[in-house]
Amino acid sequence: MTTDGAGASGPGGDPIHIDPDNWLPRDLAGRCARCGTGPELEGFFRSVVFPELDMGYWISEMIRGIGPGEVTTFGAIARGLGDPAAARAVGALISEGVIEGPVHRVIFSDGRVPRGSMDPLSSEIGDPVLIKLERPVEFELSRPPLIVLSDIQKALAIRAERGTRNVNSVCGLDVSYGSINVCALSKFTLSGKHEGDMTTEVEPGLPYIPGYLFYREGPCMIEAVSKAREEGMIDGETLLMIDGNGMLHPRRMGIARQLGMVLDLPTCGASKRLMMGRVGEYRNAIKGISIAKVTDDEEVIGASIKAGEKKAFYLSAGHLTDLRTCIPLVSRMLSGRHPAPVKRAHDLANETRKRSLKNPIGLS
DNA sequence: GCGACAG
DNA sequence: ATCTTGTCGC
C-alpha cells in the first residue's frame, strides 16, 4: 500500500491516491469468470474472496493520509471505496470505534461535525464553523474494493445458468446479529409441512451495504448450509429461501442468486422492502392473494405478493429456478404476510441469539 | 421538501 | 439489522 503524502485537496488540490497492492488479489472478477462451478466456485469465495473482506482496514488505510487541519467526509471515503452507498457503513464502523487513525477528521458532507470529534477538531482547526469552508479530501484508489466486489457480481451474472432444477423441499435461511450472530435454517416440505430446524453461530463479512448483502451474510450462510448438507438436512434439490433478493438487484445478483450460484443450489429471495424497480398492477391469484410484476426497464425482475390486505413482500428468482416456479410454491406456504420458511428461520435465529445471552452454551 | 438502497 | 414502552390488532 502506498499513499502520496500531500493530501490537502483544497480547491484545485489533488485527491489522495492509494495503490493497494495487498488488499485484494488482482483481477478477482476475471478469476471468478474463469473459475469452475460447484466446489471450485465455493472454494474461490471461501479461500480467496472472504478472507479479504476487511472494510475497517481499508478505511484505516485511507484516513491515515488525512493530515492535521484537513478533513474528509463519510461520502468521500465511500466513493473512494467504490460506491457512495457505503457511506452509512463507513459511519457505523467509525462510531463503533474499530477504525485506526484520525477518525475525528471525518465529518458530514454538510459540514456538521460528528459527536465526539468536535474537541479534537477544534484544537486542530480552531473555529469548527470554518470547517465548512475546507474542501474535504477525496480519494482515488487504483482498485476500489467495492468495484472489485461488484465486478465479481457482474461476472457471475454473465455466466449464470438460466435453467431450472427440480425441487423436493424448501429451506428458509436467515441471520440475526448481536453480541453473537446466529444463522438459522428451517426446512419445509413442498406442501408446507415443517420438517426441522438448525442453528449455528457465525461471523459476518462486510458490514451491511445496500447491493452487497451477500458479502455480509454469504460467509455465514455458506458455513451453515455446509453443516446442514453434512447432516443430510438439505440436498441438491432443496430450494433455499433467503430473506433478501435474487434477480431483484441492480446487477441482477442479489444475495439469493449469488449464494445459489456459489453453493450450486436452487434459491429464491423474499424481502420485506422493495430495493428497486417498478411495481405493476395487482392481479388476483389464488386464495385472496394478489400479485404484481416488479420490472426494471421492461425486464421482469420479481413479483410483489400481497396476502389479503396485508403489506406486500417481494419475491424474486435466485439460481436454478424462476418466478413461474416460485410463485405457486411460495403462495402455498404463507404464514401471515411472509413465506413460512423465512418467517420461521427469522424467528428462530432471533430467539436463539437472545436465548444465548442468558445461556451461553445453548447453541445446537 | 425531495429522494428513500434488501439486511 | 439492532436499540426499545406501551399499544393496536387478529
Side-chain angles (χ1 to χ4, degrees):
Chain A
M1 206 282 305
T2 57
T3 67
D4 69 348
S9 61
D14 292 321
I16 292 181
H17 289 273
I18 300 178
D19 191 4
D21 45 76
N22 58 350
W23 288 10
L24 289 164
R26 293 197 174 280
D27 193 29
L28 275 193
R31 285 174 64 182
C32 179
R34 281 179 257 109
C35 184
T37 57
E40 198 180 327
L41 188 60
E42 184 180 334
F44 170 75
F45 277 93
R46 295 180 86 133
S47 60
V48 179
V49 180
F50 293 161
E52 301 292 331
L53 303 180
D54 190 349
M55 187 153 134
Y57 173 73
W58 301 337
I59 296 173
S60 298
E61 289 299 304
M62 291 168 80
I63 66 176
R64 58 182 273 190
I66 308 294
E70 299 174 342
V71 292
T72 186
T73 67
F74 298 104
I77 293 171
R79 285 191 292 278
L81 290 170
D83 196 326
R88 286 180 209 80
V90 172
L93 283 176
I94 289 180
S95 69
E96 281 170 28
V98 300
I99 306 297
E100 309 276 327
V103 292
H104 59 283
R105 296 171 189 151
V106 184
I107 66 175
F108 294 106
S109 61
D110 63 5
R112 282 151 49 231
V113 180
R115 175 174 167 68
S117 297
M118 190 58 94
D119 289 350
L121 260 188
S122 301
S123 52
E124 286 184 2
I125 300 181
D127 187 351
V129 170
L130 296 179
I131 292 168
K132 291 193 185 75
L133 305 177
E134 301 281 333
R135 170 80 88 252
V137 175
E138 291 286 332
F139 300 88
E140 229 168 84
L141 279 63
S142 60
R143 215 169 350 124
L146 297 182
I147 297 288
V148 173
L149 298 182
S150 58
D151 281 348
I152 288 174
Q153 294 176 326
K154 292 174 186 170
L156 287 174
I158 288 171
R159 58 176 280 186
E161 205 179 301
R162 290 290 301 182
T164 64
R165 182 187 288 178
N166 181 55
V167 165
N168 63 23
S169 57
V170 179
C171 189
L173 194 47
D174 196 18
V175 186
S176 176
Y177 298 92
S179 51
I180 69 161
N181 313 300
V182 174
C183 182
L185 292 84
S186 292
K187 188 184 183 185
F188 287 72
T189 66
L190 292 185
S191 48
K193 185 190 166 210
H194 177 242
E195 281 207 310
D197 298 316
M198 196 196 90
T199 60
T200 177
E201 189 176 338
V202 291
E203 286 307 318
L206 289 185
Y208 170 67
I209 303 168
Y212 303 81
L213 183 56
F214 171 80
Y215 298 102
R216 170 168 175 76
E217 302 194 341
C220 312
M221 291 182 169
I222 288 172
E223 206 59 52
V225 169
S226 299
K227 210 166 151 186
R229 264 177 157 164
E230 287 168 16
E231 296 174 7
M233 183 178 175
I234 68 176
D235 59 39
E237 296 190 348
T238 305
L239 174 80
L240 297 183
M241 192 178 290
I242 286 104
D243 199 335
N245 297 307
M247 293 287 285
L248 208 168
H249 182 274
R251 297 174 284 279
R252 304 293 180 266
M253 197 48 68
I255 183 170
R257 187 145 92 126
Q258 194 164 356
L259 184 73
M261 289 189 72
V262 173
L263 293 175
D264 188 34
L265 286 175
T267 55
C268 69
S271 70
K272 301 166 198 67
R273 301 194 305 196
L274 186 63
M275 185 192 196
M276 62 169 297
R278 210 177 125 271
V279 179
E281 195 173 309
Y282 284 93
R283 306 194 60 170
N284 291 325
I286 46 173
K287 288 193 302 181
I289 295 172
S290 52
I291 303 179
K293 290 175 180 173
V294 175
T295 57
D296 181 34
D297 281 329
E298 307 298 290
E299 184 185 4
V300 178
I301 56 178
S304 174
I305 301 182
K306 271 198 293 199
E309 296 308 303
K310 294 187 176 67
K311 205 172 158 208
F313 72 94
Y314 304 91
L315 180 72
S316 58
H319 187 48
L320 298 174
T321 188
D322 54 21
L323 267 185
R324 198 175 148 276
T325 307
C326 290
I327 288 176
L329 199 150
V330 168
S331 300
R332 277 187 273 108
M333 41 175 87
L334 292 183
S335 164
R337 178 192 166 198
H338 299 297
V342 286
K343 167 90 168 95
R344 184 172 175 103
H346 184 274
D347 293 345
L348 178 62
N350 253 309
E351 287 162 10
T352 306
R353 178 179 62 79
K354 287 173 179 167
R355 184 152 33 84
S356 77
L357 293 178
K358 185 174 182 187
N359 176 22
I361 44 176
L363 286 172
S364 65

